[in-house]
């Protein structure tokens, strides 16, 4: 049966209209005023905002970093859909030394098959660079993996020559190089120094990864992207004003560079590290910064220096593996949850507080990620012919975020006690109602793998 969403405030790509949206099967069939309701199931959207389903392009479900993150693809995507996110793209974790790109793809097929309730894609991950690995990116792309991550820190960090090789190669095939930008050598030096001085409490975590570590690495990657002939470059989880400013400057000079930030850098600040116990909840990298950086990141989102808000959802129990860091922050697994709270937090802090328009909100939470990661216009936009991935947001609903109302499989939320105005009340994926009346309406395995396509990134310079 067709579904008709009636009388909602519908957020289209470049305007907002009051009207109706018709769903036929999996697809949006019409958008307009007074669409004929004959034979349709009616969804009354009076007072609601009708948005393209959220797309979170940075999660780490079921990742093994020595200990395993506690949200797998079932609980992670369930939390996602309750939070108004209809698709995720997960960063595959590292595999055994020497493995090829398809090794982890195979492992993640096992993690995802029959598990997801949201649609999902996967980013490839580089551990080492050689001719075979570079060639294999072509096969991965044909398999629907249109983006790859390289780390400049952690065990399988790439050096600058390898980073340049990746940028050159992915440019030729229309895939996106995504990078975790932090200066590994400086972090190692600072960590060792702090530990040798007995400075092992949570508050030293941000001291060990200062803003210049991010800025230096962002600057270096931008230089390499230019050296590779303006190779497309996407900087994940930008946390500093300097990082955002470098991206802004590079883009103004024609560089094909894009930036992502996350809710933790928009609404939390480094005072969270002061309590030596609670501070463990916020051990994630890059660390949470000062309020000045927070303001600069909002500015970067508003002025288009940063195009995406994702989450970097990587959850470890506070009363579980996070306690590995209780006597030494360097032993604490890095990461925090957020996949369920991204849409309401960015809506509330962005739209409800007047920092972002509805169109800007939809752009940074859905449309831009869809464009950058090869899913647009099938996903990321309310448009005739697109997948009917839709969220109804109640803009007047006041909610205080607390662990007990969330579906994430982790024993805390970093946003405990945060009051938000605006909450997703219905989630639809490919025409199927997935969350309604606070209940999950689909079985595990409903979510489909998204075969993502190559992109002409020059055409995206204006997003
Ligand atoms: O602390 C974090 N962000 N952990 C997840 C891995 C990463 O760096 O993205
Ligand atoms: Zn990272
Ligand atoms: Zn991450």
């Amino acid at each position: 049966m067709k579904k008709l969403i009636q009388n909602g405030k519908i957020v289209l790509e470049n305007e907002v209209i009051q009207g109706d949206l018709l769903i036929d099967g999996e697809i949006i069939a019409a958008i307009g005023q007074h669409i004929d309701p004959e034979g349709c199931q009616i969804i009354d959207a009076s007072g609601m905002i009708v948005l393209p389903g959220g797309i979170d392009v940075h999660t780490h479900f079921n990742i093994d970093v020595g200990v395993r993150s506690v949200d797998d693809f079932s609980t992670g995507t369930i939390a996602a859909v309750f939070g108004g996110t209809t698709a995720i793209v997960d960063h595959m974790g590292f595999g055994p030394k020497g493995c090829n790109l398809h090794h982890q793809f195979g492992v993640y097929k096992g993690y995802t098959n029959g598990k997801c309730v949201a649609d999902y894609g996967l980013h490839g991950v580089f551990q080492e660079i050689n001719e075979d690995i570079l060639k294999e990116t072509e096969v991965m792309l044909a398999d629907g993996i249109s983006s790859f991550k390289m780390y400049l820190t952690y065990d399988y960090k790439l050096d600058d020559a390898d980073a340049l090789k990746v940028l050159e190669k992915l440019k030729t095939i229309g895939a996106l190089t995504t990078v975790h930008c932090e200066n590994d050598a400086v972090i190692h030096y600072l960590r060792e120094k702090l530990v040798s001085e007995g400075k092992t409490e949570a508050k030293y975590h941000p001291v060990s990864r200062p803003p210049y570590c991010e800025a230096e690495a962002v600057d270096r990657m931008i230089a390499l992207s230019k050296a590779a002939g303006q190779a497309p470059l996407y900087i994940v989880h930008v946390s500093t004003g300097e990082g955002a400013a470098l991206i802004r400057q590079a883009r103004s000079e024609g560089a094909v560079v894009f930036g992502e930030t996350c809710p933790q850098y928009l609404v939390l600040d480094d005072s969270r590290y002061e309590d030596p116990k609670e501070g463990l909840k916020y051990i994630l990298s890059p660390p949470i910064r000062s309020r000045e950086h927070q303001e600069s990141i909002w500015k970067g989102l508003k002025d288009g220096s940063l195009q995406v808000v994702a989450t970097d959802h990587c959850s470890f129990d506070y009363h579980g593996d996070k306690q590995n860091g209780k006597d030494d922050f360097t032993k604490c697994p890095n990461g925090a949850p957020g996949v369920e709270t991204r849409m309401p937090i960015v809506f509330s802090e962005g739209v409800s507080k007047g920092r972002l328009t509805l169109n800007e909100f939809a752009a940074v939470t859905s449309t831009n990620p869809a464009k950058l990661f090869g899913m647009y216009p099938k996903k990321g936009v309310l448009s005739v012919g697109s997948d009917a991935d839709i969220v109804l947001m109640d803009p007047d609903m006041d909610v205080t975020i607390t662990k007990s109302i969330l579906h994430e499989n982790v024993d805390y939320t970093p946003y405990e006690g945060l009051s938000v105005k605006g909450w997703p009340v219905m989630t639809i994926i490919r025409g199927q109602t997935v969350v309604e009346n606070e209940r999950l309406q689909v079985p595990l395995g409903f979510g489909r793998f998204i075969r993502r396509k190559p992109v002409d990134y020059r055409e995206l310079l204006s997003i």
Side-chain angles (χ1 to χ4, degrees):
M1 185 192 260
K2 292 179 186 173
K3 288 188 172 83
L4 184 62
I5 300 177
Q6 270 186 329
N7 200 27
K9 199 173 197 179
I10 306 176
V11 183
L12 304 178
E13 195 167 345
N14 296 309
E15 59 176 329
V16 179
I17 63 161
Q18 189 72 32
D20 304 342
L21 185 151
L22 179 69
I23 302 169
D24 189 356
E26 298 193 347
I27 303 297
I28 298 174
I31 300 172
Q33 263 90 31
H34 311 299
I35 295 175
D36 182 3
E38 177 77 31
C40 294
Q41 177 198 335
I42 303 296
I43 298 171
D44 180 10
S46 313
M48 297 290 142
I49 317 264
V50 184
L51 287 156
I55 301 179
D56 185 350
V57 289
H58 192 154
T59 63
H60 298 275
F61 295 151
N62 203 31
I63 194 169
D64 183 358
V65 292
V67 292
R68 196 172 281 279
S69 66
V70 293
D71 274 302
D72 65 8
F73 281 85
S74 302
T75 64
T77 57
I78 289 171
V81 296
F82 274 96
T85 286
T86 52
I88 60 107
V89 186
D90 195 86
H91 283 284
M92 292 189 272
F94 297 131
K97 191 169 170 45
C99 72
N100 67 8
L101 297 172
H102 278 82
H103 179 279
Q104 284 310 88
F105 191 19
V107 168
Y108 272 69
K109 278 182 184 158
Y111 291 170
T112 52
N113 276 348
K115 293 273 172 53
C116 298
V117 298
D119 286 351
Y120 64 97
L122 298 166
H123 303 280
V125 62
F126 292 113
Q127 301 184 198
E128 61 186 288
I129 300 303
N130 56 48
E131 278 310 312
D132 290 341
I133 293 284
L134 290 172
K135 184 84 188 142
E136 199 188 349
T137 59
E138 296 169 23
V139 190
M140 291 283 278
L141 181 59
D143 289 338
I145 309 283
S146 69
S147 51
F148 298 81
K149 172 100 157 272
M150 54 189 191
Y151 290 86
L152 303 185
T153 187
Y154 303 145
D155 286 350
Y156 284 111
K157 61 187 171 292
L158 299 192
D159 67 19
D160 295 348
D162 283 342
L164 181 57
K165 288 177 200 168
V166 167
L167 284 157
E168 286 172 347
K169 176 67 190 180
L170 296 190
K171 178 183 179 228
T172 65
I173 65 171
L176 187 58
T177 304
T178 77
V179 197
H180 174 130
C181 285
E182 284 187 294
N183 183 310
D184 183 70
V186 171
I187 293 167
H188 267 270
Y189 164 64
L190 293 176
R191 274 160 70 112
E192 279 164 24
K193 187 163 178 277
L194 288 164
V195 171
S196 73
E197 292 167 356
K199 295 175 175 168
T200 54
E201 290 169 14
K203 68 179 177 191
Y204 294 108
H205 172 65
V207 181
S208 74
R209 310 177 94 98
Y212 70 81
C213 275
E214 174 174 285
E216 183 282 327
V218 169
D219 200 23
R220 189 161 26 111
M221 286 304 110
I222 290 172
L224 294 182
S225 141
K226 287 182 188 163
Q230 305 292 14
L233 171 67
Y234 177 91
I235 316 283
V236 301
H237 51 44
V238 176
S239 66
T240 61
E242 290 92 323
L246 285 161
I247 295 170
R248 182 180 311 126
Q249 177 66 25
R251 286 170 62 82
S252 75
E253 293 163 7
V256 190
V257 179
F258 306 93
E260 164 198 287
T261 191
C262 311
Q264 54 270 34
Y265 306 119
L266 290 166
V267 300
L268 302 177
D269 67 64
D270 53 6
S271 63
R272 301 277 169 162
Y273 294 111
E274 276 161 20
D275 183 318
K277 290 199 172 108
E278 293 284 307
L280 293 175
K281 293 179 177 174
Y282 307 95
I283 293 203
L284 49 94
S285 297
I288 291 159
R289 309 292 186 183
S290 66
R291 280 183 183 269
E292 289 70 37
H293 286 288
Q294 214 181 81
E295 281 316 308
S296 305
I297 294 291
W298 275 113
K299 177 173 175 289
L301 261 192
K302 181 76 186 170
D303 70 16
S305 313
L306 303 171
Q307 294 75 37
V308 172
V309 182
T311 63
D312 200 7
H313 181 104
C314 189
S315 52
F316 301 99
D317 277 332
Y318 173 62
H319 294 289
D321 288 327
K322 282 277 183 195
Q323 292 304 319
N324 296 353
K326 71 178 173 16
D327 299 320
D328 179 352
F329 73 87
T330 67
K331 307 257 181 340
C332 184
N334 279 215
V339 73
E340 191 167 359
T341 45
R342 177 186 71 126
M343 294 287 277
I345 288 175
V346 182
F347 185 87
S348 179
E349 294 288 321
V351 179
S352 304
K353 291 197 174 167
R355 289 173 167 126
L356 299 176
T357 66
L358 277 171
N359 288 110
E360 287 165 343
F361 172 76
V364 298
T365 57
S366 180
T367 316
N368 291 347
K371 287 180 173 173
L372 285 162
F373 290 94
M375 296 178 268
Y376 178 90
K378 192 169 167 56
K379 304 227 174 261
V381 63
L382 299 181
S383 171
V384 173
S386 296
D387 279 2
D389 295 348
I390 299 167
V391 172
L392 265 56
M393 181 81 76
D394 180 346
D396 298 318
M397 193 161 157
D398 293 307
V399 174
T400 299
I401 295 175
T402 184
K403 164 62 205 142
S404 61
I405 63 165
L406 300 178
H407 302 78
E408 297 167 346
N409 181 41
V410 54
D411 65 0
Y412 79 101
T413 167
Y415 306 104
E416 187 70 35
L418 181 71
S419 294
V420 294
K421 192 170 197 61
W423 196 261
V425 291
M426 185 185 285
T427 304
I428 297 170
I429 300 179
R430 287 178 277 104
Q432 173 73 45
T433 304
V434 170
V435 176
E436 187 180 18
N437 299 327
E438 297 177 28
R439 294 180 80 96
L440 185 67
Q441 309 283 345
V442 295
L444 294 182
F446 170 77
R448 268 189 210 153
F449 178 66
I450 307 168
R451 294 179 71 86
R452 298 181 295 117
K453 296 176 302 204
V455 171
D456 182 347
Y457 287 96
R458 289 188 166 274
E459 286 186 1
L460 295 187
L461 271 178
S462 58
I463 66 168

